[in-house]
Amino acid sequence: MTLSKLSLKKPDLENLEAVVELDKLCLDGLWSLKGYQRELESPSSSLVVLTLPESEKIIGCGCFWAILEEAHITIMAIHPDYQGQGLGKLLLYGLMENAVRRALERATLEVKASNTIALSLYEKFGFQVAGRRKGYYEKTGEDALILWLSGLEKPQFSLILQKWHQEISDRLLVNNWTWEMITDN
C-alpha cells in the first residue's frame, strides 16, 4: 500500500486563484481574489489550504481572524469530490492548532442552521450553540447559528488536540493518506 501525503499549509500568492475557484464552488463566491490577498497579508488572519500530494491541487481552505483572544473562523470549505473523508476535521484541527500556537483562548463561527454535516463536525470538536443570527445569509435569508468553543489556552485542550491528531490520522489512513502540517515561523 502506497500512502499519499496531504499538506495543510499557508497558501502562496500563486495559489489564490485556485482558492477563489474553491470558494466559488463551495461558498458561492463569498470572497474575491483581493479578499483572499488581504487575508494572506494580514497579521491578524490565519489562512490555510489543504493540498493533494504531487499536484498541489487545493481541495480545502480555512481561515480565522485573531481578534483579541478569539479565533473567529470565517471560512471552512472542502471540495465536494473530497467531502465525507475526514478532511473537514483535518482542516478544523489545523485552524485550532494554529489558534493555540497564537495563544488564543476561544473560537467562534457562524454556520447555516440547516448545515447538519458542519454542525456535527463542530459539535465533535466541542463547539456549542451560543445564539442565532436571523436572516444572516443574504442569498437565502437563512439563519446562522453562532457557535463557541472556549478553553483553548488550558493544558487539557492540548490533550484534546493530541486525541484529534490521532483520530484524524487513523481516518485518513483508510483512504491511503497521511498528512503533514507546514507552519510558517
Side-chain angles (χ1 to χ4, degrees), residues 42-184:
S42 172
S44 299
S45 184
S46 290
L47 178 63
V48 296
V49 293
L50 182 61
T51 61
L52 289 175
E54 292 93 32
S55 70
E56 290 294 306
K57 177 182 177 182
I58 293 175
I59 60 169
C61 176
C63 183
F64 74 76
W65 297 333
I67 304 169
L68 301 174
E69 300 84 25
E70 177 186 309
H72 182 89
I73 298 172
T74 55
I75 296 281
M76 279 274 301
I78 297 292
H79 190 287
D81 292 346
Y82 298 92
Q83 292 176 2
Q85 301 177 47
L87 301 178
K89 196 170 190 178
L90 173 58
L91 190 58
L92 185 55
Y93 168 85
L95 291 173
M96 293 296 89
E97 198 276 338
N98 193 340
V100 168
R101 266 191 286 113
R102 291 179 78 149
L104 301 178
E105 297 175 8
R106 59 191 166 275
T108 186
L109 58 92
E110 290 91 8
V111 61
K112 283 184 180 178
S114 65
N115 192 341
T116 56
I117 293 171
L119 283 167
S120 175
L121 171 66
Y122 298 133
E123 288 170 1
K124 286 176 188 170
F125 271 75
F127 281 85
Q128 297 180 347
V129 176
R132 179 182 290 264
R133 296 192 196 279
K134 297 277 187 196
Y136 182 77
Y137 294 96
E138 289 179 21
K139 290 183 182 179
T140 64
E142 187 173 348
D143 293 354
L145 296 178
I146 304 164
L147 303 183
W148 280 89
L149 175 64
S150 58
L152 304 184
E153 82 286 5
K154 297 192 172 158
Q156 61 265 35
F157 192 75
S158 292
L159 297 174
I160 293 169
L161 279 178
Q162 289 173 11
K163 179 181 170 236
W164 289 342
H165 186 282
Q166 189 59 54
E167 286 177 10
I168 292 164
S169 296
D170 292 345
R171 173 77 191 275
L172 294 178
L173 274 176
V174 171
N175 294 309
N176 297 324
W177 284 335
T178 184
W179 62 282
E180 65 180 341
M181 187 157 36
I182 303 169
T183 57
D184 48 296

